[in-house]
Amino acid sequence: MSFATWITFVVASCIIAVSPGSGAVLSMSHGLAYGVKKTSATIFGLQAGLMTVFCIAGAGVGSLLLASEIAFNIVKTVGALYLIYLGLCQWRAKVEPGSAVLEGAPQVQLPSVKKRLLTGFLTNATNPKGIIFMVAVLPQFISHGVPLLPQLLILAATLCAIDLMVMHGYALLASSMQRFFRDARAVKKQNRFFGGMLMAVGGALFFVKRGAQA
């Protein structure tokens, strides 16, 4: 893999990471509710899901998923329903007056680290758009006649590092607005906004189609 090829992949990864999606919405939602430090668990879960999709695509299984309409629709439906479920849970989340992330702010129940990791993982691992991106983009940056594994490791590390920074950026941006959400009514509006966003992204996944290679 040449340096020029790697730089091109860096640019492509930055564009994809910055583009609003379920991961960005989740990072902002948790960043606003729990702060950046506690959202790191969610973001690491997102990276685990992203790397799972990367490995699936790298192993060629992603191509098989795209080639099989039934398999692709199963993955798409599971991912869409999971995001809708997350959004519905956040929409209906109860907020009580008390101590929380900020002193004097309404109480926000903090999920365990394990649950935040799992939420992040499932959000990316069940995203069919991620599979489509990996299968469509990865081959463009693989040099033939050169060992495959080192190239995949470089691309995976690059993609993960970029996404980690971008998702933490989204969480930091959202957490900087915490001071505007000190009363229960404001937090309830925040929950409904991000819950609605997650449900909207989940609903949009139902309209994702297989690529031309399918």
Side-chain angles (χ1 to χ4, degrees), residues 2-54:
S2 66
F3 180 73
T5 300
W6 179 74
I7 286 296
T8 304
F9 182 77
V10 168
V11 174
S13 298
C14 288
I15 293 173
I16 294 299
V18 172
S19 300
S22 55
V25 173
L26 187 64
S27 297
M28 288 189 291
S29 172
H30 282 199
L32 183 56
Y34 316 129
V36 178
K37 185 176 180 180
K38 293 181 175 63
T39 303
S40 289
T42 306
I43 295 173
F44 281 120
L46 286 170
Q47 303 318 304
L50 184 65
M51 289 300 99
T52 298
V53 173
F54 184 96

Side-chain angles (χ1 to χ4, degrees), residues 69-143:
E69 184 174 358
I70 294 177
F72 180 80
N73 284 335
I74 289 175
V75 172
K76 178 176 70 173
T77 301
V78 170
L81 291 177
Y82 180 68
L83 287 180
I84 292 172
Y85 166 75
L86 281 182
L88 185 61
C89 287
Q90 184 153 358
W91 182 282
R92 300 176 61 185
K94 294 182 179 180
V95 179
E96 300 175 358
S99 59
V101 178
L102 295 177
E103 185 179 354
Q107 184 175 6
V108 179
Q109 185 176 5
L110 177 67
S112 66
V113 172
K114 183 178 180 180
K115 186 171 183 179
R116 278 175 277 155
L117 281 168
L118 184 61
T119 298
F121 172 77
L122 291 176
T123 296
N124 267 350
T126 60
N127 188 352
K129 293 178 68 177
I131 297 175
I132 292 175
F133 167 74
M134 295 296 185
V135 173
V137 172
L138 273 185
Q140 314 302 321
F141 298 95
I142 299 296
S143 301

